[in-house]
Amino acid sequence: MEPQPLDPPDISLENLLRPMLPPGAPIPDYDQLDYSFAIEYSGPVGDHPVPRADPLVGSRDSSSQVDSSSVSKTPRPKPSALHIDTRKRAHLAAEKLISESGSARSPITGLVEKDSSSTTGRSPLSNSGTRGKAASKEKEAGSSSPDSRLAYSGLNSLSRKSSSSEIEELNVQFSAAVSAAASALPSPSALRSVSLSENHNLENSDFHSTPRSISMPERDRADGSSRPGSPSGVTAVEPVVVVTKKRECHRCLKKHMLQEKETCLVCTARYCRNCVLIAMGSMPEGRKCLRCIGLPIHESRRPYLGKPSRLLKSILSPLEIQQIMRTEKDCLANQLRPEQLIVNGRALAAPEMSELLSCSNPPPKLKPGKYWYDKTSGLWGKEGEKPSKIVTAELKVGGNLKPDASLGTTEVYINCRQITKSELKMLKLAGVQCPPSTYLFLSPDGSYMEEGQNNYKGNIWEKASIRVMYSLFSLPTPRGSVRANKPSARELSARYPPAILEHKNVSKLLLLGHEGSGRSTIFKQAKFLYRGGFEQKELERYKEMIQTYIYKYLVILLEGRERFEDEEGDALLKIKCDPPATGETSKNMYSMDTRLKNLADWFLDITADGSLERYFPAATREYAASVEELWRDPAIQATFKRKEELHKLPDVAGEFLERVVELSSNEYEPVDHDILYAEGLTQGSGLAEIEFGLPDREQTSGAMHDTVDYSPTGRYQLIRVGGIGLKEGKKWLGMFEDVRAVVFTVALSEFDQLWIDSDGVARNKLLISKELFQDIVARPCFKGTPFILFLNKYDKFEEKIMKGVPLTTCDWFSDFSPVGVPHSTQAQQAYTYVVHKFKKLVGDRKLYTFQLNALERNLVASAFQYVKHILKHEESKAAGWMALPEDSSYCTDLSSYSLHSARQENGNSWDR
Ligand SMILES: Nc1nc2c(ncn2[C@@H]2O[C@H](COP(=O)(O)OP(=O)(O)OP(=O)(O)O)[C@@H](O)[C@H]2O)c(=O)[nH]1
Ligand SMILES: [Mg+2]
């Protein structure tokens, strides 16, 4: 039989394209198609192997079929047929889609996209991104394959969120094109060891097998146990710097003497214009060779981040350059890692670095290294050197400033740092008197005073000539005009309370205490009681604060859940003694289903990399339902039951999480109760003051007889020293020598709670309060000042004692043994014992104590009346009268006031 002639292959464009596209994908419009073809090389044999180009005519051959194990599960186009220009098209389509969908996109989408260049940039609501074991499996299987990494991040995230097959298709084509290009044309060195046929095999290509250190939390790696090694999640792998001859292209090894080259940000290999796109692919992290993707950049290249070269401009469209430069600047792998910055002797954590970089005046061109930072003035410099910059003050970054931070030898100190000779010279020029052993307190605007003295002395930046001199000597000066920076009276009062307050004829009350003891609550109650509450602007701030804090509380719970799940798993394992089969994870009451776990992981990730505050409260509404779902999950509820073990979780967490949907709505307005429950006054807590007149007793409860105003002026000023203020600003205390009384708050209920200090050491909270109290009582500036101890949170204290939590949990109370006393509950006995312990601390000195529940407004009013009595008493004592007010509702001993007596006076009607 005569052989039938074979049909000529159908070489229509459609048939050519079909194998390149995923099954079922529509053929793109011919007019819009941007394509090119590779033809087989038939020239003379050269020095280097030439990549093979397989013809695409006809149906796909078996060798081009993608291994079904490939997680992308999409056929890869043949390397030869799809030119890199496809990227352009994919990219433009993505841009188009972004611009079209821009307005309709939810804030979540926008936010996630923004972050998509970073490790954690995955939609929390999609299942694609998993931290932990799932992610690690995915990685092993290749699903977090180079495809997904190579695709433009924006495009990638779009395809994840959008169901648009077009985008997915483009993404796949684009990734495949790059992979193809990479594997088809590896570097000469790779070619030396890889045969052409291997080279042709995408799965075996050098590109695929190159180990990556892309931002994968450490626990996702070998042991699967720990949190990310670096907070940023980028493993600190030292890049291997490629040494090439100066003018040689690292890929083709040609010299191209006069041609510009593009340099890899990681290994510094240089590529000529013909090789750059092949060597660097789609540049998902900017200008890096394919094998360097995921690696941290070489520090010498940091100044070039985001700055396109002329070469790039000549081969890519402006839109592409814009996108590449954006990813280059934003992508996580290219960021400075927090641990590379040592500030005041301590490596930064991710949230600290993000605070530093996002402040209004960050240090410019930061490089890895050791720095010192003066939080009070904002001065910033390299360790052992004079200051180089004034950055935003009061940032919570790094350790404590050391006197020798700048290796000064002048014996003149600014905010505890011994200054350098050039600074001293400048200070003298500015007319500041500074003989040896001068201790100056300098604020960010240049105003200064001598430490321990209450007078504001002047401003070193005031004269323009001085500022010029400073810059001549390379010393930093503040940005903008000093006049504009002049602090308001209110700001000054916070900085130099005595200077501002001196002229006022008020009785100053200093409100001190350890974090969480209730200082702000008392302050807020004073505002409600005597100043008519909060203004609209302040309410807005509280709203924002509450909405942000909910997420922080959630994250504490999520971390706790993980811990408990592991512990429980280990415990069950010990009981069972038979380890689960490989890959099987034992479930317990703290385990969550995969979807919620993904969501939880996302929250933990954005917290770990310090971007939680970038998302919230902005996206609070979108996530409220998810947070509620998480909160209601049995695993989280089981975790919450063990809240005492979650040291950072405040008491209010449950209350706020319970109402997350309501609190997250736009219409939500904080009510008094919410404001009191919200921790702190404002997010940045330092010094705050409020002035008020105390009304006569009759006005507040109607049951008091004291109609005489004992205060000299009838005006009081309550000054709250907040968390940071007290720790770093202990020197301020010396400036409050004219206060009439120190009100020290202690949260009684903390006797069984732990506090993790900055060194990670857990300590009993009440013991910390005790030490702080002892420290302050012992200060010479408070030698003759009456101390009033507000023993707060009695409600919680009572609840705990009644529940059987032993007071002896706190070592300080180890000798407490309740005895059966008629008409006295165990809680009252415990309270009396605690009062006794505190009084013993001050020896012969008088210590006034007041039992308080600061959430009860009337009780706080009584507390202030009590303070007023004390002041009167102290005044009489000083005048030698020694008469106590007749009515003394403070029982036999003015020095103690308990809720018991207060309740009797007020007929037990304590409204919140
Ligand atoms: N149950 C109970 N909770 C209280 C009491 N006093 C304060 N709280 C809560 O304790 C938490 C911490 O109180 P804050 O007033 O912020 O304490 P603080 O840390 O000293 O204040 P800042 O200096 O602003 O940080 C808040 O959620 C308050 O609502 C109390 O007497 N009983
Ligand atoms: Mg607080």
Side-chain angles (χ1 to χ4, degrees), residues 513-522 524 650-652 676-682 685 720-723 745 792-796 852-855:
H514 187 245
E515 212 32 82
S517 57
R519 291 158 302 178
S520 287
T521 312
I522 295 165
K524 286 183 250 183
D651 300 336
V652 298
L676 288 180
Y677 265 53
E679 287 176 284
L681 277 178
T682 52
S685 53
R720 187 221 53 171
V721 182
T745 53
N792 192 29
K793 302 199 184 180
Y794 184 73
D795 55 329
K796 297 224 92 191
L852 185 63
N853 171 2
L855 296 176

Side-chain angles (χ1 to χ4, degrees), residues 546-620:
I546 290 169
Q547 291 181 340
T548 312
Y549 279 7
I550 297 177
Y551 290 87
K552 291 192 176 164
Y553 301 154
L554 176 74
V555 166
I556 299 173
L557 276 171
L558 295 177
E559 277 171 352
R561 186 207 67 80
E562 276 197 345
R563 181 157 58 89
F564 295 161
E565 185 185 22
D566 290 348
E567 285 170 6
E568 189 75 6
D570 291 348
L572 285 176
L573 214 67
K574 268 190 202 145
I575 298 167
K576 275 207 239 162
C577 292
D578 53 339
T582 339
E584 186 191 318
T585 45
S586 59
K587 296 245 178 230
N588 56 54
M589 64 195 293
Y590 301 104
S591 307
M592 287 198 300
D593 72 37
T594 317
R595 191 178 55 85
L596 282 185
K597 180 146 187 333
N598 286 338
L599 181 63
D601 285 345
W602 180 76
F603 276 115
L604 290 171
D605 279 344
I606 60 165
T607 309
D609 74 13
S611 52
L612 185 77
E613 276 166 20
R614 268 201 355 241
Y615 288 78
F616 301 105
T620 216

Side-chain angles (χ1 to χ4, degrees), residues 653-712:
E655 156 97 11
F656 281 164
L657 280 164
E658 193 60 39
R659 295 163 53 206
V660 60
V661 174
E662 175 210 334
L663 301 183
S664 305
S665 90
N666 265 353
E667 291 69 43
Y668 163 67
E669 280 182 17
V671 292
D672 292 6
H673 175 81
D674 296 346
I675 292 175
L676 288 180
Y677 265 53
E679 287 176 284
L681 277 178
T682 52
Q683 268 157 327
S685 53
L687 284 182
E689 58 92 26
I690 178 173
E691 202 181 309
F692 51 85
L694 278 180
D696 295 337
R697 215 53 200 270
E698 279 166 354
Q699 281 171 256
T700 43
S701 67
M704 306 290 171
H705 317 292
D706 132 27
T707 50
V708 186
D709 187 354
Y710 293 108
S711 154

Side-chain angles (χ1 to χ4, degrees), residues 493 496-506 508 689 691 717 719 736 738:
S493 78
Y496 311 118
I500 278 290
L501 307 178
E502 249 165 8
H503 65 281
K504 287 188 184 168
N505 199 6
V506 293
K508 288 173 216 159
E689 58 92 26
E691 202 181 309
Q717 186 174 37
I719 303 159
F736 289 108
D738 55 347

Side-chain angles (χ1 to χ4, degrees), residues 349-390:
E352 290 177 304
M353 195 170 92
S354 88
E355 181 170 355
L356 180 66
L357 298 180
S358 60
C359 72
S360 57
N361 199 13
K365 297 179 188 159
L366 258 183
K367 287 187 186 149
K370 294 182 177 175
Y371 298 90
W372 59 263
Y373 169 55
D374 172 359
K375 296 174 198 189
T376 317
S377 66
L379 283 171
W380 172 275
K382 278 196 177 155
E383 212 174 86
E385 293 180 19
K386 64 185 180 184
S388 58
K389 170 88 183 151
I390 301 176

